[in-house]
């Protein structure tokens, strides 16, 4: 094997030797964590601009730019249940300049897709969970169903009529978990977005849906939708009279989350620096206040804590998908 001399190393790092660069990329990637960052950081979001994950990335990205003194650029690469963006980051140079803003889908996709172009654990390091999304089960305000118990009873009495709207594998698996815990038969009706799912319930096209608070709370407060329960361990401040699913008799606690990931071989010192920054930013009052009206809770946990959550969710949703026989062939 030919060993590059120091001139070819310098040329590769400066972009003058593209053929040699791939062979020596690790040598260029080892930036001194004390001097990091020395150029713009890119946060890759697997969803379109304007959604919850995009907003979180921009709120945290602005704060990160202010504290580190470098631009933080949010890039939207939607497609394939965020698989496009996740693969892009997995294959990027592990130098700390390409981050993935991922939703819970990174732990759910392995459960439903027969094959993925990346491994959620082996190809990434989980840096910090930035935010969590309480989920809400709703029916139309015109529906005669007024509680979780009534919904379950209706489903068992009308298995051919009972259905639910879902806009992603995440929402579908949470609802399938509800079905497994309660024995309520329901047929999934797919929609393109959570907003469409909520509107389908309000209009009476489907019976129920479980969706994040963003598109739900305003409809509940305006009286067009009825909230039956919160799929979380505690009630929501915005809807204090709505019980949790556990309080309503269904053993389901399924908060979704969003967090930052980096390629596995990113230098530990850089990972630690960003972990500390994100944990600090998540506790800032103006960040909490910016996200709260959107039904998003700021979290900011450690890399170790986030890694445990990821592993537990992969196991949990894998079991739910297997029990429900949910599998997507690409």
């Amino acid at each position: 094997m030919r060993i590059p001399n120091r001139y070819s190393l310098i040329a590769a790092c400066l972009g003058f030797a593209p053929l040699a660069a791939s062979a020596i990329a690790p040598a260029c990637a080892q930036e001194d964590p004390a001097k990091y960052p020395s150029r713009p950081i890119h946060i890759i979001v697997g969803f379109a601009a304007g959604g919850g994950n995009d907003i979180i990335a921009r709120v945290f990205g602005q704060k990160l730019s202010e504290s580190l003194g470098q631009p933080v650029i949010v890039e939207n690469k939607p497609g394939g249940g965020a698989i496009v963006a996740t693969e892009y980051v997995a294959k990027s140079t592990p130098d700390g300049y390409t981050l993935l803003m991922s939703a819970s889908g990174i732990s759910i996709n392995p459960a439903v897709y027969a094959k993925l172009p990346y491994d959620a654990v082996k190809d990434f390091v989980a840096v910090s969970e930035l935010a969590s999304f309480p989920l809400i089960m709703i029916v139309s305000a015109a529906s005669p169903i007024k509680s979780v118990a009534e919904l379950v009873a209706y489903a068992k009495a009308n298995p051919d009529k009972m259905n639910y709207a879902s806009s992603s594998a995440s929402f579908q698996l949470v609802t399938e978990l509800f079905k497994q815990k309660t024995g309520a038969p329901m047929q999934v009706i797919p929609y393109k977005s959570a907003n469409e799912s909520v509107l389908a319930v309000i209009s009476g096209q489907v019976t129920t849906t479980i969706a994040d608070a963003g598109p739900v709370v305003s409809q509940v407060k305006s009286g067009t939708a009825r909230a039956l329960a919160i799929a979380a361990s505690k009630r929501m401040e915005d809807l204090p009279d709505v019980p949790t699913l556990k309080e309503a008799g269904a053993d389901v606690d399924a908060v979704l989350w969003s967090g930052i990931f980096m390629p596995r071989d990113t230098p530990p010192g850089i990972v630690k620096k960003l972990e500390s920054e994100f944990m600090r930013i998540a506790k800032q009052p103006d960040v909490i206040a910016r996200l709260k009206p959107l039904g998003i809770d700021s979290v900011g946990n450690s890399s170790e804590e986030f890694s445990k959550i990821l592993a537990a969710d992969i196991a949990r949703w894998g079991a739910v998908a297997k029990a429900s026989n949910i599998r997507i062939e690409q």
Side-chain angles (χ1 to χ4, degrees):
M1 176 180 176
R2 177 177 170 271
I3 300 176
N5 60 34
R6 66 185 185 126
Y7 298 105
S8 60
L9 278 172
I10 293 171
C13 290
L14 293 176
F16 299 136
L19 294 179
S22 60
I24 57 175
C28 306
Q30 300 302 312
E31 177 169 340
D32 182 357
K35 298 179 181 179
Y36 169 88
S38 58
R39 52 190 171 89
I41 296 171
H42 293 252
I43 299 179
I44 310 301
V45 180
F47 305 93
N53 286 279
D54 177 70
I55 291 172
I56 296 168
R58 294 179 190 278
V59 169
F60 277 82
Q62 177 61 37
K63 290 290 186 178
L64 188 65
S65 176
E66 293 171 3
S67 63
L68 296 183
Q70 288 289 342
V72 175
I73 302 166
V74 175
E75 294 184 31
N76 301 92
K77 293 184 180 294
I83 293 174
V84 172
T86 308
E87 179 184 13
Y88 176 85
V89 176
K91 295 179 178 178
S92 66
T93 303
D95 57 6
Y97 290 95
T98 306
L99 317 182
L100 174 68
M101 177 71 195
S102 178
S104 292
I106 196 171
S107 67
I108 289 174
N109 283 343
V112 298
Y113 285 94
K115 186 178 180 181
L116 290 170
Y118 58 83
D119 186 295
V121 174
K122 294 180 181 179
D123 292 339
F124 293 96
V125 55
V127 180
S128 180
E129 176 189 349
L130 303 189
S132 64
F133 302 78
L135 304 181
I136 306 171
M137 172 177 275
I138 63 167
V139 294
S140 170
S143 170
I145 299 170
K146 293 182 170 58
S147 68
V148 171
E150 290 183 10
L151 182 135
V152 172
Y154 177 84
K156 291 180 177 179
N158 303 274
D160 296 335
K161 298 180 181 179
M162 188 65 183
N163 52 29
Y164 71 92
S166 175
S167 60
S168 72
S170 300
F171 297 132
Q172 184 178 359
L173 285 190
V174 172
T175 311
E176 290 297 321
L177 177 60
F178 174 81
K179 288 170 57 179
Q180 292 171 19
K181 294 292 186 179
T182 62
M186 290 190 283
Q187 179 65 39
V188 62
I189 307 296
Y191 287 85
K192 293 181 179 180
S193 70
N195 279 323
E196 290 184 12
S197 294
V198 172
L199 293 176
V201 171
I202 292 171
S203 66
Q205 295 177 39
V206 294
T207 308
T208 187
T209 192
I210 293 178
D212 57 290
V216 170
V217 172
S218 62
Q219 300 289 354
V220 172
K221 289 187 174 182
S222 69
T224 57
R226 178 181 300 126
L228 300 183
I230 310 297
S233 60
K234 62 180 181 180
R235 297 191 182 196
M236 289 182 60
E237 290 181 14
D238 283 346
L239 302 172
D241 296 329
V242 180
T244 66
L245 277 172
K246 286 192 174 183
E247 289 174 332
D251 187 19
V252 177
D253 179 0
V255 174
L256 300 182
W257 44 258
S258 294
I260 291 290
F261 293 81
M262 301 174 76
R264 171 57 60 181
D265 293 329
T266 302
I270 291 178
V271 173
K272 191 66 179 177
K273 188 168 188 175
L274 287 179
E275 172 195 34
S276 298
E277 285 293 328
F278 284 121
M279 291 176 70
R280 181 187 60 80
I281 292 169
K283 302 301 186 289
Q284 294 184 356
D286 57 336
V287 171
I288 295 171
R290 174 71 176 86
L291 299 178
K292 197 68 176 177
L294 304 175
I296 302 171
D297 294 327
S298 187
V299 179
N301 60 14
S302 69
S303 177
E304 181 180 3
E305 291 169 328
F306 193 24
S307 297
K308 290 179 180 178
I309 291 171
L310 175 67
D313 277 3
I314 289 174
R316 179 190 199 188
W317 299 123
V320 172
K322 183 176 181 180
S324 297
N325 195 29
I326 298 173
R327 203 68 169 164
I328 300 173
E329 297 291 340
Q330 288 182 299

